[in-house]
């Protein structure tokens, strides 16, 4: 290894329960932009070998657009290594964890669901749904905005995938368990009531593991087939008679292997859901914490598009992604050896002074806005356009239909070094007398 050691503060999940460490990112960008960080044990999760943290915008983009050097496939894209060679083989079948050209084959299968034209056809129903969600709480004068916002991405995914309304809560629990496994409030999420589910949903729920702890006290990866037996059983059952034109119909007819089918369902059910569940409340909190900008957003709806881009820059839903070096190489003057982990920090790149003037300032008129919250290169987020539609719909509905909207208490952050999330965001507004 070369370079001095970085404190583990940018790695430890507990750090992010108190806020993204932007000051530390700024220090590292200035003095050591590609920096070795330790990967200590966290609770029951074992220590890892460590990784190179990539903090500057240009270097993040370079890593993401160079899959022949920085692979998504070798070690997958999460910081922790999969538990076993079998687990690694399984997650490697996921589109997210493929390199070109294999990645392109899987991406084409589902791309039709996310074209601008396809999303435009959904825009009206998404906007109507967002307005209905806001109108449904308007008379109360207060709500937990995290709970309100959680409905729209799950509803949208269910619509695209042909999932019955009764089973939508399963998606909420799957996302909590997979993404929030570092947070004790989410790791064992089980909010879906069996009596409210379809027979297919109840059958799947019966296969949910009671615990992820092995008899020896070690933990099973929450992203493994073993840990998600209920999700994959549901996916196979749903694929038996998919709604015509749904993503499930495309997946069934595409000739996917069993592993590819299951991990594709995982990608939709979890990644397509969790990003918006975090981005929407985070976006509103950012607006509320900048009252002048919120007033500008409220009174000038023509700024909605640029406001959403600034929200995404300021509150990236996903803070980092991993790659693995395929060969010895050099990055920003640092020697990176074959097989070492390389982790790009979107949250740091989005505040890089070399790209963004006054980067800590939240400005909904900022343009251009070259944030990397949806990634870059061959793995740029397939659902980015759909995510923007949902962000616009909910934030616009809240600003337009809840007068005097403001915080009603302290937000509670998710304990995670991956997702920039909130568990609670109490808000209030004026109601008609």
């Amino acid at each position: 290894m070369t370079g001095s050691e970085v404190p583990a503060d940018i790695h430890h999940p507990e750090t992010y329960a108190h806020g993204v460490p932007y000051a530390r990112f700024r220090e590292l960008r200035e003095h050591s932009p590609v920096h070795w960080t330790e990967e200590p044990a966290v609770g029951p999760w074992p220590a890892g070998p460590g990784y190179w943290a990539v903090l500057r915008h240009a270097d993040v983009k370079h890593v993401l657009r160079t899959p022949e050097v920085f692979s998504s496939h070798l070690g997958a894209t999460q910081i922790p290594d999969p538990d076993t060679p079998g687990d690694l083989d399984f997650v490697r079948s996921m589109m997210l964890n493929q390199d070109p050209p294999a990645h392109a084959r899987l991406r084409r299968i589902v791309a039709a669901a996310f074209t601008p034209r396809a999303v435009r056809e959904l825009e009206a129903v998404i906007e109507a749904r967002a307005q209905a969600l806001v109108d449904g709480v308007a008379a109360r004068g207060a709500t937990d905005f995290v709970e309100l916002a959680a409905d729209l991405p799950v509803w949208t995914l269910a619509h695209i995938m042909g999932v019955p309304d009764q089973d939508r809560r399963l998606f909420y629990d799957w996302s909590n368990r997979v993404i929030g496994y570092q947070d004790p409030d989410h790791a064992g999420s089980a909010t879906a009531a069996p009596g409210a589910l379809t027979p297919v949903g109840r059958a799947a729920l019966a296969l949910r593991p009671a615990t992820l702890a092995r008899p020896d006290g070690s933990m099973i990866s929450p992203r493994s087939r073993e840990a998600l037996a209920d999700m994959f059983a549901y996916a196979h059952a749903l694929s038996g008679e998919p709604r015509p034109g749904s993503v499930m119909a495309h997946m069934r007819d595409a000739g996917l292997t069993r592993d590819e089918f299951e991990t594709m369902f995982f990608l939709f059910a979890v990644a397509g859901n969790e990003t918006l569940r975090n981005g929407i409340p985070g976006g509103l909190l950012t607006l509320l914490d900048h009252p002048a900008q919120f007033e500008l957003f409220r009174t000038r709806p023509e700024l909605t598009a640029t406001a959403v881009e600034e929200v995404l820059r300021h509150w990236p839903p996903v803070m980092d992604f991993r790659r693995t070096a395929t060969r010895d190489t050099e990055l920003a003057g640092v020697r990176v050896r074959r097989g070492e982990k390389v982790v790009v920090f979107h949250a740091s790149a989005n505040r890089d002074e070399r790209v963004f003037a006054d980067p800590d300032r939240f400005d909904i008129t900022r343009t251009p806005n070259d944030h990397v919250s949806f990634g870059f290169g061959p793995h740029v987020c397939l659902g980015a356009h759909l995510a923007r539609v949902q962000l616009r719909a909910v934030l616009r509905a809240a600003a337009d239909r809840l007068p005097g909207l403001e915080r009603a208490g302290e937000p509670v952050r998710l304990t995670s070094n991956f997702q920039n999330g909130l568990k609670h965001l109490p808000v209030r507004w004026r109601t008609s007398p």
Side-chain angles (χ1 to χ4, degrees), residues 45-196:
W45 304 101
Y51 55 85
W52 293 106
V54 182
L55 287 309
R56 285 184 184 170
H57 189 275
D59 297 326
V60 166
K61 276 194 162 185
H62 174 69
V63 169
L64 293 178
R65 68 169 170 251
T66 319
E68 66 274 15
V69 182
F70 303 103
S71 170
S72 298
H73 187 64
L74 280 182
T77 52
Q78 299 296 300
I79 294 176
D81 293 317
D83 293 344
T84 67
D87 285 344
L88 177 58
D89 286 344
F90 176 60
V91 298
R92 276 175 167 171
S93 66
M94 186 184 299
M95 181 176 70
L96 190 67
N97 300 325
Q98 293 276 343
D99 295 326
H103 167 260
R105 177 182 70 85
L106 294 175
R107 192 176 176 100
R108 282 194 298 269
I109 290 169
V110 293
F114 295 103
T115 63
R117 178 180 177 180
V119 174
R120 278 196 300 272
E121 293 174 355
L122 279 170
E123 284 188 18
V125 292
I126 288 173
E127 288 176 3
R129 180 71 180 184
Q131 291 168 6
L133 287 171
V134 171
D135 289 346
V137 301
R140 300 181 196 170
T143 194
D144 184 339
F145 200 77
V146 169
E147 285 296 319
L148 183 147
D151 183 273
L152 185 64
V154 173
W155 178 88
T156 303
L157 281 171
H159 182 82
I160 291 171
M161 299 178 75
V163 173
D165 282 348
Q166 305 98 296
D167 293 340
R168 294 204 319 263
R169 198 68 184 180
L170 290 171
F171 284 70
Y172 179 89
D173 287 337
W174 290 329
S175 290
N176 278 354
R177 287 160 52 199
V178 171
I179 300 297
Y181 74 94
Q182 295 170 327
D183 191 305
D185 290 338
H186 280 194
S189 184
T191 64

Side-chain angles (χ1 to χ4, degrees), residues 278-425:
N278 293 324
I280 294 172
L284 182 67
L285 177 60
T286 303
L287 286 164
L288 294 179
D289 281 350
H290 298 83
Q293 293 295 302
F294 185 45
E295 180 64 11
L296 194 62
F297 178 78
R298 190 185 66 79
T299 57
R300 294 187 57 188
E302 72 274 14
L303 293 176
T304 301
T306 56
V308 164
E309 297 309 308
E310 182 69 342
V311 160
L312 286 164
R313 185 188 73 86
H314 215 77
W315 188 286
V318 176
M319 292 183 289
D320 53 71
F321 262 116
R322 169 196 172 171
R323 298 294 189 263
T324 304
T326 64
R327 58 177 183 257
D328 290 358
T329 189
E330 190 173 286
L331 183 61
V334 171
R335 187 70 171 169
V336 177
R337 301 191 182 281
R338 181 180 183 273
E340 289 182 334
K341 301 182 191 182
V342 176
V343 178
V344 295
F345 279 78
H346 305 88
S348 174
N350 283 355
R351 303 287 182 102
D352 192 339
E353 303 82 354
R354 295 151 194 83
V355 177
F356 304 99
D358 197 2
D360 293 327
R361 177 170 55 88
F362 179 67
D363 177 7
I364 69 168
T365 69
R366 185 186 295 271
T367 185
N369 195 333
D370 191 22
H371 66 77
V372 290
S373 294
F374 287 128
F376 186 72
H379 277 282
V380 67
C381 179
L382 190 60
H385 190 58
L386 182 62
R388 288 181 168 102
V389 168
Q390 294 179 77
L391 274 162
R392 289 198 303 263
V394 179
L395 296 179
R396 192 75 261 158
D400 293 345
R401 304 166 96 88
L402 301 176
L405 182 62
E406 63 182 6
R407 279 201 205 188
E410 286 300 310
V412 180
R413 292 184 56 88
L414 180 69
T415 300
S416 172
N417 61 9
F418 176 57
Q419 288 278 338
N420 190 14
L422 292 171
K423 294 189 290 187
H424 300 288
L425 176 57

Side-chain angles (χ1 to χ4, degrees), residues 33-45:
V34 177
H35 213 130
W36 184 257
T37 187
E38 298 297 332
E39 193 181 349
V42 177
W45 304 101

